[in-house]
Amino acid sequence: MRGRFAAVSAPILAVTVSDDDFATPAAVRRSLSYYTSADRLAVMLEPDDLGQASVGHFDLFRAHHAAGFWLDTLLWLGQGVNPWPNRRIE
């Protein structure tokens, strides 16, 4: 399995939110560590960045983020531009 992760060479942008109990910074770093052949970047947003009081783990997939977060992620998917350069997780 690790060999399959290591074979991925596409750039990866991992996004989490500060109130996500599952995708903690440590979990994101650990997950990205398996993709040894890819350029990896992780960002952590705050609920306030998204105009929300809370977001958690699943809220980013809800339609009310279509005009904000979803469009922002298209910058990454279409142009390879991190829309949150000041939110990097080191």
Side-chain angles (χ1 to χ4, degrees):
M1 186 62 88
R2 286 185 184 217
R4 290 183 181 183
F5 286 118
V8 173
S9 60
I12 298 171
L13 175 63
V15 179
T16 189
V17 184
S18 62
D19 66 343
D20 186 334
D21 292 334
F22 297 105
T24 64
V28 170
R29 283 191 292 271
R30 185 174 53 253
S31 296
L32 288 176
S33 73
Y34 297 112
Y35 296 93
T36 56
S37 298
D39 288 333
R40 299 157 287 176
L41 178 61
V43 298
M44 181 167 50
L45 303 176
E46 298 290 332
D48 192 53
D49 295 331
L50 303 160
Q52 303 291 313
S54 65
V55 175
H57 188 70
F58 295 106
D59 190 65
L60 289 176
F61 300 102
R62 299 190 192 281
H64 62 264
H65 289 290
F69 175 78
W70 294 3
L71 290 178
D72 290 343
T73 59
L74 288 176
L75 287 172
W76 174 260
L77 294 171
Q79 300 170 28
V81 174
N82 173 9
W84 308 284
N86 298 322
R87 295 291 188 189
R88 292 182 67 152
I89 298 172
E90 299 299 333

